[in-house]
Amino acid sequence: MSSAPAPGAMLRDNLWTNNPIFMQILGICSALAVTNLLTNTMIMTIAVVGVMGMTNLTVSLIKSFIPRKVRMMVQTLIIASYVIVVDIILRAYLPDISRALGPYVGLIITNCIIMGRAEAFAQQNPPLLSVWDGVTSAFGYMGVLLAIALIRELLGFGTLFGYQVMPEIFEPWIIMVMPPSAFFVLGIVIWIGKAIMEREGAPA
Amino acid sequence: MNAPDINLIPLLFASIFTSNILLANFLGMCSFISISKDMQSSNGLGMAVTLVLFMTSGLNWIVYHMVLVPLGLEYLRFIIFITVIASMVQITEMVIDRVSPKLYITLGIFLPLITVNCAILGVSLFLEIREYTFLQSLVYGLGSGLGWWLAIMLLAAIRKKVEKGPVPAALKGPGITVITIGFMAMAFIGFGGMLPVQ
């Protein structure tokens, strides 16, 4: 990425053609576990958007001061600091959700997408563009996870964001609440996404 | 959650099988999916993860309970844990290089990957949330590592077979792998009722 890419093309690229989950299944560790409820997924992915934007901004601002050899460690520590901020905010304002998310908020640190974008994009690009890249990548990630959570919560509990939407006679699918279904739904979402991409003629 | 009552042996088995760190908690997926293409690398990575998990779970327990809690700095745990893990990985790498160059060739390239493996940090965070004792932490760390190792070997073996099958083009690669993992998760978690340890 020697010349600065156009913001519009970046949006499309990060949301769809180069979506981190479709193309490499990066970064699902920290978030797949919470996809059985839409509310939790929403909060979790918003946290990722914030951390990713801020990390890219910081890395881009101080990139000329970091020696190349220790840059990974510095990036990890920058990410960890923002995750601590997010964790404290969640504890203060949304204690119930903070408890439900458990260790997974902390695991945003090891989310490979954040590190990957900081390394691949923010290292070489100006601050504002880096923030845009971080935020759009995180939105691409958010989209896929929300799709998974939508399917799992609708079929597993018959609700959306905690509100009953399925008719009374609907029998919830217990499997959708359990871990294996996250893998099945993710696999199917990737399948559909890739099939549409192939039809569009995008490089799959 | 009365952690002190949990027996060590059920805890070991639960962390290997029914509460497998990978299949039940989704931790360590990134390297799991990318490395499991090849049996030999899977074996090396699994071994390295087990070693590092065992050591960091003990060390992080000590750091958390002996340093962070007395000083009232619990909120710094994310930074401290990740630093402990990174330095532990570095030290392990140097020691292995010195002691057994042959093992270093097998494990060496995987060690740097481990710092950002979610499973390691995840186990340290679980230890703290579930209030395990020191011994339980060691056992849980060891069991989680063995479980991870077992899961990646199984997946690598299954992927070898699946590659030859007629898979729809769009499902090839990550898609079919994720669905395979789903079936493995069902098999592992299916026995959850026998070992009610969370």
Side-chain angles (χ1 to χ4, degrees):
Chain A
M1 286 187 207
S2 45
S3 63
M10 271 166 62
L11 178 69
R12 189 188 150 70
D13 211 42
N14 284 337
L15 282 186
W16 180 242
T17 35
N18 217 352
N19 187 305
I21 297 190
F22 284 155
M23 300 323 285
Q24 299 122 331
I25 330 196
L26 280 184
I28 52 174
C29 336
S30 55
L32 205 54
V34 295
T35 52
N36 55 2
L37 286 172
L38 265 173
T39 320
N40 292 356
T41 314
M42 197 74 194
I43 301 292
M44 185 77 182
T45 46
I46 289 173
V48 172
V49 172
V51 173
M52 208 154 162
M54 292 309 287
T55 306
N56 268 9
L57 175 68
T58 317
V59 170
S60 177
L61 281 176
I62 61 171
K63 59 180 183 272
S64 45
F65 303 110
I66 313 174
R68 275 200 79 72
K69 269 193 166 167
V70 294
R71 68 184 194 289
M72 294 288 234
M73 201 59 227
V74 173
Q75 285 166 5
T76 313
L77 291 178
I78 292 171
I79 299 170
S81 324
Y82 286 119
V83 171
I84 289 179
V85 173
V86 165
D87 186 51
I88 292 174
I89 293 175
L90 281 182
R91 267 166 204 249
Y93 293 101
L94 299 163
D96 294 335
I97 290 182
S98 168
R99 218 164 300 128
L101 294 177
Y104 293 102
V105 175
L107 287 167
I108 295 177
I109 298 170
T110 48
N111 189 322
C112 337
I113 297 181
I114 302 183
M115 190 90 155
R117 293 319 294 180
E119 176 72 18
F121 197 92
Q123 268 311 330
Q124 289 109 10
N125 287 286
L128 279 182
L129 211 57
S130 303
V131 174
W132 179 243
D133 177 76
V135 171
T136 48
S137 297
F139 275 131
Y141 174 75
M142 185 188 234
V144 176
L145 287 174
L146 283 179
I148 296 171
L150 183 84
I151 300 171
R152 285 186 73 190
E153 185 172 346
L154 190 65
L155 297 177
F157 295 99
T159 58
L160 287 179
F161 288 108
Y163 297 105
Q164 189 75 33
V165 285
M166 293 300 248
E168 281 294 315
I169 47 163
F170 173 74
E171 184 73 35
W173 302 8
I174 302 294
I175 181 80
M176 281 294 166
V177 184
M178 288 171 54
S181 74
F183 293 113
F184 294 136
V185 177
L186 175 64
I188 292 165
V189 168
I190 292 175
W191 186 7
I192 296 170
K194 277 203 157 181
I196 298 172
M197 266 182 218
E198 271 177 18
R199 196 154 300 167
E200 281 181 351
Chain B
M1 246 181 253
N2 37 357
D5 305 335
I6 299 171
N7 265 322
L8 295 180
I9 294 185
L11 182 64
L12 178 68
F13 280 97
S15 52
I16 298 178
F17 296 107
T18 58
S19 312
N20 189 296
I21 188 84
L22 213 150
L23 300 168
N25 292 322
F26 310 100
L27 298 179
M29 294 289 297
C30 304
S31 40
F32 183 65
I33 290 175
S34 53
I35 300 293
S36 64
K37 281 182 201 116
D38 173 52
M39 280 289 254
Q40 212 164 10
S41 325
S42 305
N43 196 15
L45 185 65
M47 211 187 298
V49 165
T50 311
L51 187 70
V52 173
L53 253 181
F54 180 63
M55 292 188 302
T56 53
S57 58
L59 204 63
N60 274 337
W61 190 92
I62 295 173
V63 169
Y64 186 74
H65 288 269
M66 307 280 166
V67 181
L68 292 185
V69 173
L71 293 177
L73 293 174
E74 288 96 335
Y75 64 91
L76 278 182
R77 64 192 188 286
F78 296 153
I79 283 195
I80 302 292
F81 284 174
I82 197 86
T83 316
V84 167
I85 292 168
S87 24
M88 199 67 215
V89 168
Q90 202 90 70
I91 294 170
T92 318
E93 200 177 343
M94 288 193 272
V95 170
I96 292 181
D97 190 21
R98 234 343 176 9
V99 177
S100 158
K102 212 174 149 194
L103 186 65
Y104 185 76
I105 295 168
T106 338
L107 290 186
I109 50 164
F110 301 112
L111 281 169
L113 269 179
I114 289 179
T115 314
V116 286
N117 189 322
C118 335
I120 317 279
L121 183 63
V123 164
S124 293
L125 293 175
F126 273 127
L127 297 180
E128 178 248 311
I129 286 181
R130 296 181 186 163
E131 299 169 351
Y132 283 149
T133 62
F134 182 63
L135 269 183
Q136 285 171 338
S137 303
L138 281 182
V139 169
Y140 183 68
L142 178 68
S144 301
L146 290 175
W148 203 91
W149 190 358
L150 176 69
I152 196 171
M153 289 304 286
L154 287 176
L155 182 69
I158 295 172
R159 280 185 79 170
K160 276 236 147 60
K161 291 277 176 205
V162 170
E163 259 169 28
K164 296 190 184 100
V167 179
L171 195 56
K172 272 213 171 78
I176 190 70
T177 311
V178 172
I179 291 179
T180 313
I181 301 171
F183 282 112
M184 283 172 64
M186 274 174 83
F188 273 69
I189 293 163
F191 294 100
M194 287 165 69
L195 290 165
V197 178
Q198 191 34 254

